[in-house]
Amino acid sequence: MFKLNLKIALRNLWKYKGYTAINVFGLSIGLASCILIFIFVRYQLSFDKDYVNGDRIYRVVTSWKYTDGNEFSSSGTPLPLPAVFRNDFSQFEKVAAIQQSGGIIKAKAQVGKAEVKDSESVFYAEPSFFEIFNYEWLSGNPNQSLSAPNTVVLSEKTANKYFGDWHKALGNSINLDASKDFKVTGVIKDNPQNSSFPLEIIFSYASFNDRNMKEWGSVSSGSECYVLLKNGVALSDLAKPLAQHLNKYENDKDAPGKVNHTFQPLEDIHHNEDYGNFAQKNTPYNQIIGLGIIGLFLLVTACINFVNLATAQAISRSKEVGVRKVMGSPRNQLIWQFLSETAIITIIALLLACVFAELTLPKMENLFGGDVSFSLFGHPIIFVFLFGLLVFVSFLAGLYPALIMSGFSPALAIKNKVAANAGGVGLRKTLVVVQFAITAILIVSTLVVIKQMSFIREKSLGFDTEAITIVDLPGDSLSQLKYNSFKEKLLAVNGIKTISFNAGAPSSGSNNETSFTYNSSKSADFQISVKSGDEEYFKTFGLTILAGKAFTKSDTTKEFVVNETLLKKLNIMKPEDAIGKIMKIWGSSGPIVGVVKDFNNYSLHEAIAPIAIFSRKTRYSTVAIKLDTKEVASAMKNIESTFNSTFPDYVYESNFLDENLKGFYETEQIMGTLFKVFASVVIFISFIGLFGLISFVATQRTKEIAIRKVLGASNLELVKMLNSSFLWMVLIANLVAWPVAYIFVSNWLSTFQYRTELNVWPFVIAMIASMGITVITVSLRSYRAAKVNTIDALKYE
Amino acid sequence: MIKIENLEKVYKTEEIETTALNGINLHVKAGEFVSIMGPSGCGKSTLLNVMGLLDKPESGSYKFIDTELLTLNDKERSNFRKRNMGFVFQNFNLIDELTVFENIELPLIYNKVPTVERKRLVNEIIGRMNIVNRSGHFPQQLSGGQQQRVAVARALVTKPKLVLADEPTGNLDSTHGNEVMELLCELNETGTTIVMVTHSSHDASFSNRIINLKDGHVISEKINKGKTEELI
Ligand SMILES: Nc1ncnc2c1ncn2[C@@H]1O[C@H](COP(=O)(O)OP(=O)(O)O)[C@@H](O)[C@H]1O
Ligand SMILES: [Mg+2]
């Protein structure tokens, strides 16, 4: 019996080749997209999941609440905190400090291997870090390898890079910043891609020194602290000891903000944008959910095609049903028969989908700039997912048609007298409306995303970004002595307009906030963002001075330039009024000599901060060079050779400012692209579904069309007639979609402090576009139906 | 009114060519009632379809009151058809999704008759056809005879000059068949020209002239004496 049913199923699919093809194609494209989304989401959710004690690992993070209502948070802790926590908290099994830093790493030339020198991101970690996080050690172990000062543990990859083979690394040493040597005492296995801990070079924490080592009031986001809770300890158990701790150590009455610490679960680190992480990869849950919704949309649209075409076909299959019933086939057997037909189509579609997905995976990897490699069957869970898809789609798409068809009355069915709307014209219309509502929502969303992204690209940030290259500078005191001669040499290079030494561009990833005083001896009740740079800073970045002037040349802090936002926060009406007032920041006081027009110092997600700019040579870490756009290439070459001759022990690294700024929106860019692609897929599926449906309707109405023609209808009138019902559905779909789309996009836009105005156009365009494509799709097909030979259509009953 | 000369129609399929009409000459005067008879497959329906501008012949001439119709383009043909011709088919060809009233109204809509006028014309013809209490029914709810009366009503509502009927009684029993034939006669008496294809000599006896076709050409023509005299 099963074999017979299978035969009938396959013959039926073959008989309606056109619809089968549309079904299978639409479904497989939808399924392929779902598979890609699944692979992506699985990857994102797999971050930091491989640690044995993962559910007991927490990061201690810090936040400040200011009296003006602002909040500020950091992934770091004060440097003395880890040791104190280890002592005072009985709830912790382990506490570990880890410090992120950077530097020039050099390994001496060896037999058969030249000297290797590179600028690297490095860490200082306590041995307990590796007791909290279980890494695979190829050689050494946490306590032996990381207890003593001047020891270092390398990842397999890095050890191979510096020593050719990691075995040779052991016992050898590497040099940091041309000053200190570190002995390699251990090698760990490479980190997987899905890790928030890109640990390649780990120095013992005992080698770490910082002037804030005893400071409670200063927090750097690179100084992180991890704790491993004892078994059975709940987060709520920590509230009391934490309050006691804050009271005892971090209760500075003079500080502008109120400090607090939070224990952030390990699994939250990859997804919480508030704090960031060492790997600088963040995928917030709402983006993952957004993709999941698109995936669901894809499935639903593809299934709707299926239901529509299957129920539309139901009438032509009524006779088969009638005969089967007369021969005694029970209803549930018929249901299974139709469901298995759907399952067969789904299996075919799934196989095709796997091929499509495999073909597009490299494209998805490109999105991540090659950082990630995806494979279709790399994780066995994909098979569970595929099976789930099969069951889900078979039931979603197959059950309703199966119920309809198996429910035909045999007497009517056998006479082919099943009413024309037996297949559920009403339901079919509803489904088309749902499908096109989804389509409209995605068109609106895609348009808004595109608009916002171009807004970001085009919005003036208040400073120049074009043809400015930022070159990293070595920060040790010896190198600082060479800054002036470096500048002299650069000024001789052709194509360089201005040069400014500074501690960061007007907008960059690193922002320093600190307390300050204005015209008083008391700290203001909010913090100020500080930028240090030399007197050329304003000219190089094209900042506009509104009142006063730029500060004069100085190596130390003597004068300040502030921005408009600061004045607003201090309730100063006229920029001129601020000139001459005395400020104190980082222990240096001096007059305000200029007010600069506001510029965006963060990404456009955030508002402009109050800012003070001043010179302080010891802080400079980069040099910004404004180039003549016509001579960029040659100038860059000369800059590099000048750098290498001036700082032979260091590694030249430069970035263009506009590229750096683009990096702020990397996640948005990736999500935006995924969004656009998958939205187009949904739109495509909807329209081939529409094409299938109109084809069916046209076939079904051939006779009616012919009669109307005999009675004098012109082709145009017939095309109009067939269009009108579909246009109504699409119109209603758009109206349904508008409020939903509005909620989606206004929510997304609200994550940007600076955003494009949300006007009616995306909605109108979505409507015009969807109705336009509907008219084209329906007209193409119905014109063919109208042209069909009238007599042939009328002759046969 | 109608002058058909040397009409030829060939159907080409993949395997064979069928000459359906092979040099037909036929004149029909205004107000005439002509029957076309002949064995199955001799080209009767084809001739009727060509006359109704539903099909295009390969060659020949077809004049309708001095207008040559075979040179018209698609749009002109459709316009000419909807203004001057009405059709009755063996299988009724009503639209199942429309009510009796709406079916009859349809050709008026395509002729752009204003709504009020449309309602009046439809109601008038429904009254004449004796189907008043059926006007809200769907075709499937009517008997074959009633359906064919609706089809005749639909053919007449635009007051066409020419009515073409292809075996109008073919699907009906004799009682219902006679009812339809009487309707056609009444119509003919009010001056409408009728060309009817039929297999039944009983039906043909209602007409003025009987034309016999075989293998795509006219083999004989017979004036129906009794009828013609009546007409005169
Ligand atoms: N669409 C068509 N394609 C091919 N041959 C056709 C077509 N319509 C009619 N014929 C052929 O043309 C001839 C005349 O058909 P028709 O006019 O329908 O005959 P009748 O109505 O006299 O029975 C027949 O041999 C028929 O097979
Ligand atoms: Mg015939």
Side-chain angles (χ1 to χ4, degrees):
Chain A
M1 191 66 192
F2 177 75
K3 224 169 122 188
L4 194 67
N5 279 344
L6 190 72
K7 224 189 244 170
I8 290 179
L10 288 174
R11 279 181 193 159
N12 260 314
L13 296 180
W14 189 244
K15 189 166 158 203
Y16 300 101
K17 288 188 273 303
Y19 308 124
T20 308
I22 284 180
N23 262 335
V24 171
F25 188 60
L27 197 57
S28 55
I29 299 253
L31 289 173
S33 308
C34 284
I35 292 172
L36 291 179
I37 290 177
F38 176 80
I39 291 173
F40 177 80
V41 169
R42 192 215 65 83
Y43 170 72
Q44 295 297 347
L45 292 180
S46 71
F47 267 73
D48 308 326
K49 290 280 153 64
D50 292 334
Y51 301 105
V52 176
N53 298 321
D55 55 335
R56 290 192 285 136
I57 300 176
Y58 290 81
R59 177 168 74 175
V60 185
V61 294
T62 311
S63 60
W64 293 265
K65 251 204 183 90
Y66 298 102
T67 38
D68 65 352
N70 273 343
E71 267 183 69
F72 183 74
S73 48
S74 167
S75 60
T77 62
L79 287 172
L81 181 134
V84 169
F85 268 26
R86 193 172 300 140
N87 246 331
D88 293 0
F89 283 69
S90 58
Q91 292 86 348
F92 298 151
E93 191 174 315
K94 298 273 176 212
V95 177
I98 180 167
Q99 173 72 37
Q100 187 178 35
S101 182
I104 306 297
I105 301 293
K106 197 166 68 184
K108 281 199 210 79
Q110 327 228 331
V111 191
K113 184 141 176 60
E115 178 188 281
V116 185
K117 186 177 78 171
D118 215 341
S119 154
E120 302 268 12
S121 167
V122 304
F123 292 87
Y124 296 89
E126 292 183 321
S128 51
F129 181 85
F130 291 95
E131 290 166 346
I132 297 176
F133 293 91
N134 57 301
Y135 274 73
E136 195 178 323
W137 288 69
L138 296 177
S139 165
N141 67 55
N143 275 317
Q144 275 172 14
S145 308
L146 283 173
S147 299
N150 300 330
T151 53
V152 64
V153 170
L154 301 177
S155 72
E156 186 182 356
K157 188 173 70 188
T158 315
N160 285 338
K161 173 173 144 190
Y162 283 98
F163 297 98
D165 176 3
W166 67 262
H167 294 97
K168 289 191 203 152
L170 292 162
N172 252 314
S173 59
I174 58 171
N175 177 280
L176 173 67
D177 286 341
S179 54
K180 268 200 256 177
D181 281 336
F182 291 81
K183 198 171 140 208
V184 180
T185 49
V187 175
I188 54 170
K189 253 201 128 56
D190 289 337
N191 267 294
Q193 291 159 339
N194 55 353
S195 164
S196 302
F197 303 92
L199 308 183
E200 303 291 346
I201 299 170
I202 310 110
F203 299 114
S204 60
Y205 201 73
S207 331
F208 177 61
N209 201 9
D210 191 282
R211 64 193 148 89
N212 287 330
M213 220 58 197
K214 302 236 141 53
E215 263 320 310
W216 280 100
S218 162
V219 173
S220 146
S221 62
S223 321
E224 298 195 352
C225 171
Y226 288 85
V227 298
L228 177 65
L229 299 194
K230 282 192 179 144
N231 263 323
V233 172
L235 269 191
S236 53
D237 300 337
L238 299 173
K240 229 172 122 193
L242 179 65
Q244 282 166 358
H245 162 88
L246 287 169
N247 224 348
K248 187 169 166 197
Y249 293 97
E250 303 187 69
N251 193 16
D252 182 358
K253 292 280 186 308
D254 292 334
K258 199 168 155 23
V259 186
N260 194 14
H261 294 296
T262 315
F263 299 96
Q264 183 190 20
L266 175 63
E267 58 173 21
D268 190 48
I269 288 176
H270 178 64
H271 303 291
N272 194 329
E273 280 187 314
D274 293 347
Y275 300 108
N277 56 54
F278 289 145
Q280 289 187 315
K281 296 181 203 164
N282 263 130
T283 311
Y285 281 118
N286 59 17
Q287 290 182 356
I288 293 176
I289 292 169
L291 266 182
I293 290 178
I294 293 189
L296 197 67
F297 276 0
L298 280 162
L299 272 189
V300 169
T301 32
C303 286
I304 285 179
N305 280 357
F306 203 96
V307 174
N308 276 340
L309 289 177
T311 53
Q313 277 178 41
I315 301 148
S316 44
R317 293 192 62 182
S318 62
K319 194 164 173 194
E320 178 198 335
V321 174
V323 173
R324 280 170 177 276
K325 281 202 166 175
V326 169
M327 313 240 286
S329 171
R331 184 169 181 193
N332 57 8
Q333 198 183 325
L334 284 168
I335 293 180
W336 278 114
Q337 186 206 327
F338 289 119
L339 275 181
S340 55
E341 274 178 38
T342 316
I344 288 173
I345 294 192
T346 314
I347 289 171
I348 299 171
L350 259 181
L351 293 176
L352 265 177
C354 288
V355 175
F356 291 153
E358 182 70 43
L359 290 176
T360 33
L361 271 179
K363 292 252 175 333
M364 194 157 87
E365 287 173 6
N366 284 348
L367 268 184
F368 293 86
D371 278 355
V372 188
S373 67
F374 293 114
S375 76
L376 189 51
F377 299 120
H379 301 271
I381 183 113
I382 188 84
F383 294 105
V384 178
F385 178 70
L386 290 178
F387 184 74
L389 272 184
L390 172 64
V391 173
F392 181 78
V393 171
S394 300
F395 273 91
L396 192 67
L399 196 59
Y400 182 76
L403 287 177
I404 287 284
M405 288 197 259
S406 62
F408 288 149
S409 134
L412 286 178
I414 230 161
K415 278 194 271 172
N416 254 334
K417 275 268 170 70
V418 176
N421 62 358
V425 175
L427 176 98
R428 220 143 57 220
K429 284 187 173 159
T430 317
L431 290 180
V432 171
V433 169
V434 170
Q435 197 175 35
F436 276 83
I438 289 176
T439 311
I441 290 170
L442 288 174
I443 296 179
V444 172
S445 314
T446 309
L447 289 174
V448 172
V449 170
I450 291 172
K451 202 164 162 233
Q452 174 66 11
M453 294 319 281
S454 80
F455 173 82
I456 287 175
R457 258 197 316 278
E458 275 147 34
K459 183 183 183 311
S460 161
L461 298 174
F463 58 92
D464 285 353
T465 57
E466 210 198 345
I468 296 179
T469 184
I470 310 273
V471 179
D472 289 351
L473 288 174
D476 57 298
S477 46
L478 211 72
S479 302
Q480 279 185 6
L481 295 176
K482 296 187 195 162
Y483 284 3
N484 280 336
S485 69
F486 183 47
K487 187 171 177 179
E488 295 301 315
K489 283 189 229 166
L490 282 180
L491 284 172
V493 173
N494 262 344
I496 290 186
K497 287 182 164 171
T498 53
I499 297 168
S500 168
F501 287 81
N502 58 65
S507 177
S508 73
S510 72
N511 285 283
N512 284 294
E513 328 250 325
T514 185
S515 49
F516 70 103
T517 68
Y518 173 82
N519 216 21
S520 114
S521 57
K522 237 185 100 224
S523 288
D525 60 1
F526 60 91
Q527 291 205 311
I528 194 166
S529 178
V530 295
K531 308 239 160 241
S532 17
D534 61 15
E535 68 287 353
E536 295 285 317
Y537 193 79
F538 303 93
K539 214 165 135 200
T540 306
F541 290 109
L543 296 168
T544 316
I545 305 269
L546 293 177
K549 56 179 182 59
F551 41 75
T552 43
K553 188 171 153 89
S554 163
D555 283 349
T556 54
T557 311
K558 293 201 172 114
E559 296 166 324
F560 295 96
V561 171
V562 298
N563 73 346
E564 292 174 281
T565 302
L566 177 75
L567 301 194
K568 258 174 250 154
K569 292 206 88 162
L570 291 170
N571 278 322
I572 300 167
M573 295 303 162
K574 285 214 307 265
E576 290 76 17
D577 295 349
I579 307 291
K581 298 284 182 336
I582 304 296
M583 278 185 104
K584 187 173 174 188
I585 296 176
W586 282 348
S588 305
S589 60
I592 293 174
V593 294
V595 175
V596 70
K597 195 170 177 320
D598 267 344
F599 55 86
N600 285 94
N601 66 313
Y602 298 118
S603 84
L604 295 178
H605 282 293
E606 284 163 82
I608 295 170
I611 294 170
I613 310 171
F614 50 85
S615 37
R616 183 171 280 207
K617 191 173 177 183
T618 51
R619 306 258 326 160
Y620 300 161
S621 54
T622 59
V623 58
I625 305 170
K626 172 93 178 159
L627 302 168
D628 187 339
T629 39
K630 277 173 245 123
E631 292 177 78
V632 172
S634 66
M636 289 298 286
K637 238 186 255 139
N638 288 330
I639 293 170
E640 180 167 2
S641 58
T642 311
F643 180 95
N644 286 333
S645 64
T646 315
F647 306 106
D649 284 331
Y650 291 86
V651 178
Y652 174 78
E653 234 174 296
S654 74
N655 294 291
F656 281 102
L657 180 57
D658 42 8
E659 296 293 325
N660 281 352
L661 294 177
K662 251 187 233 158
F664 284 180
Y665 311 105
E666 208 167 354
T667 346
E668 280 84 3
Q669 217 82 45
I670 292 176
M671 297 308 283
T673 312
L674 289 179
F675 212 86
K676 266 186 272 181
V677 169
F678 291 131
S680 326
V681 172
V682 169
I683 294 166
F684 176 73
I685 293 177
S686 300
F687 281 102
I688 63 167
L690 184 68
F691 189 80
L693 196 57
I694 179 65
S695 301
F696 197 89
V697 168
T699 322
Q700 214 173 31
R701 292 174 74 172
T702 314
K703 188 181 146 202
E704 181 197 334
I705 292 169
I707 297 172
R708 286 174 182 270
K709 259 180 100 171
V710 170
L711 298 178
S714 65
N715 289 343
L716 187 66
E717 278 166 317
L718 292 172
V719 170
K720 266 195 217 155
M721 175 187 85
L722 289 168
N723 258 312
S724 70
S725 59
F726 283 99
L727 277 180
W728 272 112
M729 287 186 255
V730 176
L731 180 72
I732 294 170
N734 270 283
L735 297 181
V736 172
W738 280 1
V740 183
Y742 180 81
I743 293 170
F744 279 2
V745 296
S746 56
N747 261 331
W748 181 74
L749 278 179
S750 70
T751 66
F752 290 88
Q753 187 73 31
Y754 299 90
R755 49 187 178 253
T756 166
E757 155 204 16
L758 182 56
N759 56 24
V760 74
W761 282 111
F763 298 89
V764 173
I765 292 174
M767 178 147 104
I768 294 174
S770 55
M771 293 182 71
I773 304 178
T774 304
V775 168
I776 294 170
T777 313
V778 175
S779 299
L780 276 179
R781 184 57 186 86
S782 56
Y783 186 72
R784 217 168 83 207
K787 287 276 281 189
V788 131
N789 196 336
T790 329
I791 320 150
D792 289 346
L794 292 180
K795 201 150 48 182
Y796 311 104
E797 253 296 57
Chain B
M1 185 168 73
I2 293 172
K3 279 195 188 121
I4 288 176
E5 259 141 36
N6 268 324
L7 213 54
E8 256 177 61
K9 170 79 196 172
V10 182
Y11 286 113
K12 291 192 187 88
T13 56
E14 282 120 55
E15 305 107 54
I16 43 158
E17 285 191 8
T18 319
T19 308
L21 301 178
N22 191 1
I24 297 259
N25 292 302
L26 176 66
H27 293 206
V28 180
K29 288 195 270 295
E32 238 188 323
F33 185 165
V34 178
S35 294
I36 298 175
M37 298 187 74
S40 247
C42 70
K44 306 181 296 289
S45 298
T46 308
L47 177 59
L48 214 63
N49 289 336
V50 169
M51 292 177 80
L53 300 179
L54 298 175
D55 214 344
K56 265 187 180 160
E58 265 63 47
S59 64
S61 143
Y62 175 14
K63 281 205 172 102
F64 194 103
I65 327 178
D66 298 334
T67 319
E68 174 59 59
L69 297 186
L70 296 186
T71 53
L72 300 182
N73 66 24
D74 269 0
K75 200 168 173 172
E76 292 164 332
R77 282 150 64 92
S78 136
N79 277 334
F80 191 90
R81 181 168 63 231
K82 75 181 172 199
R83 289 198 194 112
N84 299 297
M85 296 172 181
F87 291 85
V88 181
F89 299 94
Q90 176 179 3
N91 53 17
F92 325 135
N93 277 336
L94 299 171
I95 295 177
D96 290 341
E97 290 77 18
L98 300 181
T99 62
V100 166
F101 189 97
E102 289 161 344
N103 262 293
I104 300 175
E105 193 184 15
L106 208 51
L108 295 172
I109 294 176
Y110 289 126
N111 271 303
K112 308 228 156 42
V113 176
T115 320
V116 182
E117 176 73 358
R118 235 162 43 209
K119 299 268 164 304
R120 195 182 62 76
L121 287 171
V122 176
N123 281 323
E124 185 189 300
I125 201 122
I126 282 178
R128 251 172 70 196
M129 295 289 149
N130 213 2
I131 41 177
V132 179
N133 49 0
R134 298 286 177 192
S135 76
H137 285 63
F138 288 93
Q140 299 289 335
Q141 297 166 311
L142 304 180
S143 72
Q146 288 166 329
Q147 286 190 42
Q148 194 60 306
R149 275 200 302 227
V150 174
V152 174
R154 187 179 64 182
L156 302 188
V157 72
T158 55
K159 306 215 165 75
K161 296 196 182 74
L162 172 67
V163 167
L164 300 165
D166 195 345
E167 303 189 35
T169 61
N171 277 6
L172 304 175
D173 61 37
S174 58
T175 328
H176 285 123
N178 277 336
E179 275 176 28
V180 169
M181 285 316 298
E182 276 156 25
L183 264 177
L184 289 178
C185 283
E186 273 172 43
L187 178 68
N188 181 239
E189 277 152 25
T190 60
T192 311
T193 313
I194 298 178
V195 178
M196 174 182 78
V197 169
T198 183
H199 275 300
S200 134
S201 30
H202 172 75
D203 288 357
S205 69
F206 287 86
S207 60
N208 309 130
R209 192 152 55 109
I210 298 165
I211 292 172
N212 259 302
L213 286 194
K214 196 172 180 228
D215 294 340
H217 47 243
V218 181
I219 49 165
S220 69
E221 221 184 296
K222 193 172 96 196
I223 309 271
N224 192 343
K225 285 268 170 48
K227 272 299 254 190
T228 318
E229 273 157 25
E230 241 174 66
L231 193 75
I232 295 163

